[in-house]
Amino acid sequence: HANRHSSTSRGLGDVYKRQMIELMLNLTHNLLEHLEVTLALFQKTILLIVALFLKMVVDMVKVILS
């Protein structure tokens, strides 16, 4: 009987390991998707700041030249 129990627990251990691997893969996938969205928003924010800065510089140059 002990032999059968150890093979059953080993089988359950394999299932547990496989579930943990699937969980880690899903978490990694979700994290990467979230990171992509965050980076896209960050990129848009940086571009907006640069555009506003350039407009400010252009406006200052216009004032200096007028």
Side-chain angles (χ1 to χ4, degrees):
H1 290 302
N3 197 11
R4 189 176 59 198
H5 290 304
S6 66
S7 64
T8 303
S9 64
R10 187 163 51 244
L12 288 174
D14 290 344
V15 170
Y16 176 74
K17 283 184 214 167
R18 192 163 58 245
Q19 285 177 340
M20 289 304 291
I21 290 169
E22 285 177 16
L23 180 67
M24 286 189 284
L25 286 173
N26 286 337
L27 285 171
T28 304
H29 180 72
N30 291 344
L31 183 67
L32 286 173
E33 279 188 345
H34 182 71
L35 196 60
E36 278 181 43
V37 171
T38 305
L39 286 174
L41 288 171
F42 186 65
Q43 192 176 20
K44 286 180 185 170
T45 305
I46 294 293
L47 287 172
L48 186 63
I49 291 168
V50 169
L52 289 170
F53 178 77
L54 288 174
K55 185 186 180 313
M56 194 174 69
V57 169
V58 168
D59 289 346
M60 286 170 64
V61 169
K62 284 180 182 174
V63 168
I64 292 165
L65 293 177
S66 62

